[in-house]
Amino acid sequence: MENRADSHEKTDLPPIERPVPVVRAVAVAHVVFERKDVENMGRFLEDFGFKPCDGEKGATRYFRGYGTFPYCVEIIPSDRDAFVGFALLANSAEDLRTLADAERTKIEPCDGPGGGLRVRLTDPDGRRVDFVHGFTAVEPIDTHATLVAINTPMEKRRVDAPIRMPVQPAPVFRIGHVVLQTPSFDVTAGWYMRRFGFIPSDVQSLPDGSPVLGFFRFNRGDDPTDHHSLAILEGPAPAMLHISTETFDIEAVGQGHQYLRARGWTPHWGIGRHKLGSQVFDYWKDAVGDEWEHYADGDVMTDQYPTGYHPLERGSLWSWGDDLPDSMRPSERIPEDAPPKVKAFLEALLKPPRPWLR
């Protein structure tokens, strides 16, 4: 086992075992969905801030962000609406071979824009996880180059320069993280740590010490990476809970919210700031009910940042903003025959996190 970082909170919660990884992924490359109505999904993605990829004429649709990945979202026509999986970026072609040998599988060409090669795996819950390398990057799309200057009581940096931002889609630069639900936290977290080198940044547990929610980051050494690029929640069945995308700044989050409202999409949770990760967030639902998040101003960590261990509490999911939506928390009546672990989880989410909340 790798050495475990000590917790930066004084708790008696047991630490997560970190296996020696086969390889270390360095980014989330793209996500893949099946959709009955590809055109309507495409309309949502454009309103959300993605751009259709140029020159793609097949039935499968690809959408890029403002960054350098050739695409961020793949939409496959289907007779069902489903999350298929996602792709992680390899640091080298050698890492592809290392993973392929360890998993006794093959390296094959990628299908989408940019080309490249992949190793295709399936996680414990049946999701596709591709490990990709060698694609051709694209030129970034121009957006405003600097943050809006902030006036404070101590310093007025914006003089003769009122803020007049247009109401437009929030420019999405990349997929920031994927949040997955699994029936077994330990099995799924171990699978991703073992194969791709994920590091637990923060872990939340039940009173008996059982981990139920973990935020995992890439291990890029002293190169800072997002507080989490993968989050895993233990729940009754496998599910994709949301896809998170990084936009430019807090102003873009707000203007993106206005634009999506104007276009008739359903706001879900936001705007607020997370506690673990610190992102300013805004959640939306697409036409079939899948959750998508804009975020800005998130934490980044090196491999030296210690893992934090915390009790699971609803109030720990955000610092300010609206309470967790009803659809993201359980019914107020806990079944009497619920297993102890499930009961403890439901009780944690039902406890009012602020004195003025129910």
Side-chain angles (χ1 to χ4, degrees), residues 305-350:
Y305 182 79
T307 302
Y309 294 92
H310 323 267
L312 177 68
E313 298 172 344
R314 193 166 94 225
S316 67
L317 300 178
W318 84 103
S319 295
W320 56 260
D322 289 338
D323 194 2
L324 199 68
D326 286 347
S327 62
M328 294 177 71
R329 48 179 156 155
S331 167
E332 294 189 10
R333 188 173 183 275
I334 300 174
E336 293 182 2
D337 59 350
K341 191 172 182 179
V342 173
K343 185 176 181 180
F345 176 77
L346 297 178
E347 288 174 344
L349 291 187
L350 288 174

Side-chain angles (χ1 to χ4, degrees), residues 112-290:
L117 299 172
R118 73 184 179 214
V119 173
R120 175 160 290 176
L121 304 182
T122 302
D123 80 2
D125 295 321
R127 288 173 283 255
R128 178 195 301 174
V129 183
D130 287 349
F131 195 47
V132 300
H133 181 73
F135 54 77
T136 301
V138 295
E139 289 296 318
I141 299 173
D142 287 338
T143 185
H144 58 286
T146 58
L147 295 172
V148 174
I150 302 297
N151 286 338
T152 71
M154 290 72 69
E155 182 181 10
K156 307 302 181 185
R157 293 181 292 171
R158 196 181 69 255
V159 178
D160 295 334
I163 298 173
R164 301 288 188 269
M165 300 294 289
V167 178
Q168 60 188 9
V172 169
F173 284 81
R174 62 188 176 93
I175 303 296
H177 58 262
V178 178
V179 182
L180 305 176
Q181 181 173 286
T182 176
S184 176
F185 177 91
D186 293 339
V187 170
T188 301
W191 190 90
Y192 281 98
M193 287 190 291
R194 167 65 176 153
R195 281 149 186 82
F196 300 109
F198 281 101
I199 300 173
S201 297
D202 284 291
V203 178
Q204 295 185 279
S205 302
L206 299 177
D208 68 357
S210 301
V212 290
L213 177 57
F215 300 90
F216 297 85
R217 70 187 185 276
F218 294 114
N219 186 345
R220 301 201 308 212
D222 59 3
D223 181 16
T225 187
D226 289 350
H227 170 270
H228 60 280
S229 295
L230 174 69
I232 297 172
L233 172 68
E234 183 161 328
M240 186 283 296
L241 298 183
H242 73 257
I243 302 296
S244 185
T245 66
E246 185 175 26
T247 188
F248 190 80
D249 58 8
I250 297 171
E251 186 70 20
V253 172
Q255 293 295 353
H257 184 100
Q258 295 291 313
Y259 187 83
L260 285 162
R261 274 190 178 274
R263 296 287 288 171
W265 297 106
T266 305
H268 186 47
W269 183 28
I271 299 171
R273 187 182 284 276
H274 282 306
K275 184 171 289 186
L276 301 179
S278 302
Q279 305 94 331
V280 172
F281 63 80
D282 188 25
Y283 288 78
W284 291 81
K285 284 195 173 185
D286 65 22
V288 304
D290 281 333

Side-chain angles (χ1 to χ4, degrees), residues 298-312:
D299 294 333
V300 294
M301 284 83 177
T302 69
D303 63 342
Q304 297 302 303
Y305 182 79
T307 302
Y309 294 92
H310 323 267
L312 177 68

